[in-house]
Amino acid sequence: MMGLIQQLQRRTPLGWLQLSHEKGRFVVAIAGIAFADVLMFMQLGFQSSLYDSNTRVNRSMLADIILLSPKALNLQNLSTFSRRRLLQAMDIPGVKTETGLYINTITWKNPQTRLNATVQVLGFDPDRPAFNLPQVNQQLNKIKLPDVVLFDRGARGKYAEVIAQLQQGKLVTTEVDRRTLTLAGTFFIGASFGADANLITSDQTFLRLFPRRDAASISLGLLRLQPGYDPHQVAVALRSHLPQDVRVLTAQEFVAFEENYWRTASPVGFVFGLGTAMAFVVGVVIVYQVLSTDVNAHLKEYATFKAMGYHNSYLLSVVFEEAIILAFLGFIPGAILPLGLYAIAAKATALPIYMTFTRALMVLTLTVIMCALSGAIATRRLQSADPADMF
């Protein structure tokens, strides 16, 4: 190992010298790689926010096992099933409590702008907490009153004045289908690709907002287990005990169920994945053009090295050295620029878009692969260089 390090220290940094000799081309190459990195960061950031924002409600539920209809696609397309399945689930050893959750979207008048907007309404019995959100559970007495709701302060849209009034303890009223609705407090879940805002209320208020909804048909069944019971084992017992008109998922599986919909069934997830792949290809093309031009410009010098007895492996290492230098130097601005772009996008869309160490490491790895791949393509001409043809 020490011998290899000493050999590298004695080695002339030919790749760096060639890159730094043509400063204009060097800067353009770094800018091109940074551009490809920014594209990958943005696509991966949007893709991550897609999964994160759309599973926040799922992850906030106070449940070990979730029952849902087999027809359910995602949180905005759940269908319903009979509430009796919750009572049947209580027959299984280990099931401690059950809570029925109603979910639907509704159009209301934005309390601030008075314009119509779509919000997602979550209704449950206030005596049986359904969410692992302290801000919600501390305000359950408020939603026991008819037509009173809690408002998601992470909503997308013009709600700043409304949120400010609610945080000062004031009540805000608005209209939903000619019914006056009172906003009595706030909580935080955040907007998603499926819903601009969330309202939490009692099951009774929910049923008043949706008069055609059958009280015996719920969207989700939330089951909590007694301490010491394995959710997976209880879920297996529930699947064999309950009829086929209900699906049983553990809390972890329910999050994966939602994420899988947006990854595979929704075109949005495919678009972001395709965008990342396109950014990678763009980066390969840019780096290839730079390295290919460099190889062609120095082909005679490479041929001279060959005539002096240098092997192809040495000359190829020079090109790969250039590729690795470009990868790391291009990554630096490519990782800094998205920090500002993430902040702008998060403010404009109210989505959780931010830099993570894992994503930075992933893009750095992709950048190195991108540059190495471009270097491998660019060395084809170099391998066939013959001193006899050059002079």
Side-chain angles (χ1 to χ4, degrees), residues 12 25 65 81 120 122 169 252 269 331 342 374:
T12 302
R25 192 162 60 196
I65 292 176
F81 63 96
Q120 182 170 255
L122 310 165
Q252 189 176 6
F331 176 77
Y342 280 167
S374 302

Side-chain angles (χ1 to χ4, degrees), residues 6-25:
Q6 290 174 356
Q7 187 177 355
L8 290 174
Q9 288 176 338
R10 289 196 300 268
R11 182 179 180 274
T12 302
L14 197 57
W16 167 254
L17 294 175
Q18 287 194 165
L19 285 173
S20 56
H21 180 68
E22 295 286 345
K23 291 185 172 54
R25 192 162 60 196

Side-chain angles (χ1 to χ4, degrees), residues 184-386:
T186 65
F187 63 96
F188 183 84
I189 289 181
S192 68
F193 283 76
D196 288 341
N198 295 291
L199 300 178
I200 286 182
T201 187
S202 69
D203 50 353
Q204 297 305 312
T205 297
F206 181 94
L207 294 172
R208 277 192 286 271
L209 292 173
F210 301 93
R212 295 183 180 178
R213 185 70 175 265
D214 183 4
S217 298
I218 58 177
S219 305
L220 293 174
L222 311 182
L223 303 180
R224 295 198 67 188
L225 304 183
Q226 296 173 1
Y229 280 85
D230 181 13
H232 293 280
Q233 292 180 355
V234 176
V236 171
L238 284 166
R239 287 175 190 130
S240 61
H241 178 69
L242 296 175
Q244 297 298 313
D245 60 357
V246 67
R247 187 175 179 184
V248 180
L249 297 177
T250 64
Q252 189 176 6
E253 290 170 341
F254 185 52
V255 173
F257 160 79
E258 183 77 22
E259 190 174 309
N260 187 57
Y261 169 81
W262 292 100
R263 176 179 287 115
T264 61
S266 166
V268 183
F270 174 78
V271 168
F272 289 145
L274 180 64
T276 305
M278 292 302 296
F280 181 84
V281 172
V282 168
V284 170
V285 172
I286 292 173
V287 180
Y288 167 72
Q289 289 294 333
V290 172
L291 294 179
S292 178
T293 303
D294 183 79
V295 168
N296 288 332
H298 298 91
L299 205 54
K300 290 185 178 179
E301 288 84 345
Y302 285 125
T304 302
F305 274 119
K306 277 191 172 182
M308 293 169 64
Y310 283 90
H311 296 290
N312 267 336
S313 58
Y314 174 79
L315 302 180
L316 295 180
S317 70
V318 174
V319 178
F320 280 113
E321 178 187 337
E322 294 182 33
I324 298 302
I325 291 172
L326 289 174
F328 280 95
L329 292 184
F331 176 77
I332 295 172
I336 294 175
L337 285 174
L339 296 176
L341 296 175
Y342 280 167
I344 295 172
K347 185 176 181 181
T349 63
L351 292 172
I353 306 174
Y354 47 83
M355 180 67 76
T356 64
F357 176 76
T358 304
R359 189 179 309 141
L361 190 61
M362 178 189 297
V363 173
L364 176 59
T365 304
L366 288 174
T367 306
V368 172
I369 295 173
M370 177 178 76
C371 292
L373 182 61
S374 302
I377 300 172
T379 55
R380 288 184 305 171
R381 180 87 187 272
L382 176 60
Q383 294 182 60
S384 61
D386 188 345

Side-chain angles (χ1 to χ4, degrees), residues 35-327:
F35 175 69
D37 282 350
V38 170
L39 288 179
M40 285 194 284
F41 269 118
M42 295 310 295
Q43 295 297 325
L44 290 172
F46 285 129
Q47 188 180 53
S48 177
S49 74
L50 171 70
Y51 303 145
D52 187 10
S53 64
N54 284 294
T55 56
R56 278 182 169 177
V57 175
N58 307 52
R59 286 184 274 114
S60 301
M61 291 178 182
L62 189 60
D64 299 303
I65 292 176
I66 291 90
L67 307 184
L68 65 160
S69 167
K71 298 178 182 177
L73 299 176
N74 71 329
L75 206 60
Q76 284 74 45
N77 299 280
L78 281 174
S79 192
T80 59
F81 63 96
S82 173
R83 194 183 189 100
R84 286 184 300 173
R85 303 295 173 241
L86 290 180
L87 301 178
Q88 291 176 289
M90 294 297 292
D91 296 336
I92 301 299
V95 178
K96 181 181 179 183
T97 63
E98 50 83 12
T99 304
L101 182 62
Y102 300 91
I103 301 178
N104 211 338
T105 57
I106 197 169
T107 301
W108 75 339
K109 285 189 181 298
N110 182 322
Q112 182 173 323
T113 64
R114 312 308 294 178
L115 298 176
N116 288 339
T118 302
V119 294
Q120 182 170 255
V121 186
L122 310 165
F124 59 93
D125 183 351
D127 291 327
R128 298 181 177 183
F131 292 95
N132 189 23
L133 298 172
Q135 293 175 326
V136 172
N137 295 334
Q138 291 167 4
Q139 302 181 84
L140 292 178
N141 285 334
K142 294 181 180 177
I143 62 173
K144 288 181 179 178
L145 299 174
D147 296 333
V148 174
V149 301
L150 303 179
F151 181 64
D152 186 354
R153 65 176 181 275
R156 178 167 46 235
K158 295 182 178 179
Y159 294 104
E161 295 177 8
V162 175
I163 294 170
Q165 292 178 29
L166 291 173
Q167 289 181 333
Q168 293 171 6
K170 299 178 181 177
L171 300 179
V172 178
T173 59
T174 186
E175 293 181 13
V176 177
D177 288 340
R178 299 179 182 178
R179 176 182 291 277
T180 300
L181 207 60
T182 302
L183 283 64
T186 65
F187 63 96
F188 183 84
I189 289 181
S192 68
F193 283 76
D196 288 341
N198 295 291
L199 300 178
I200 286 182
T201 187
S202 69
D203 50 353
Q204 297 305 312
T205 297
F206 181 94
L207 294 172
R208 277 192 286 271
L209 292 173
F210 301 93
R212 295 183 180 178
R213 185 70 175 265
D214 183 4
S217 298
I218 58 177
S219 305
L220 293 174
L222 311 182
L223 303 180
R224 295 198 67 188
L225 304 183
Q226 296 173 1
Y229 280 85
D230 181 13
H232 293 280
Q233 292 180 355
V234 176
V236 171
L238 284 166
R239 287 175 190 130
S240 61
H241 178 69
L242 296 175
Q244 297 298 313
D245 60 357
V246 67
R247 187 175 179 184
V248 180
L249 297 177
T250 64
Q252 189 176 6
E253 290 170 341
F254 185 52
V255 173
F257 160 79
E258 183 77 22
E259 190 174 309
N260 187 57
Y261 169 81
W262 292 100
R263 176 179 287 115
T264 61
S266 166
V268 183
F270 174 78
V271 168
F272 289 145
L274 180 64
T276 305
M278 292 302 296
F280 181 84
V281 172
V282 168
V284 170
V285 172
I286 292 173
V287 180
Y288 167 72
Q289 289 294 333
V290 172
L291 294 179
S292 178
T293 303
D294 183 79
V295 168
N296 288 332
H298 298 91
L299 205 54
K300 290 185 178 179
E301 288 84 345
Y302 285 125
T304 302
F305 274 119
K306 277 191 172 182
M308 293 169 64
Y310 283 90
H311 296 290
N312 267 336
S313 58
Y314 174 79
L315 302 180
L316 295 180
S317 70
V318 174
V319 178
F320 280 113
E321 178 187 337
E322 294 182 33
I324 298 302
I325 291 172
L326 289 174

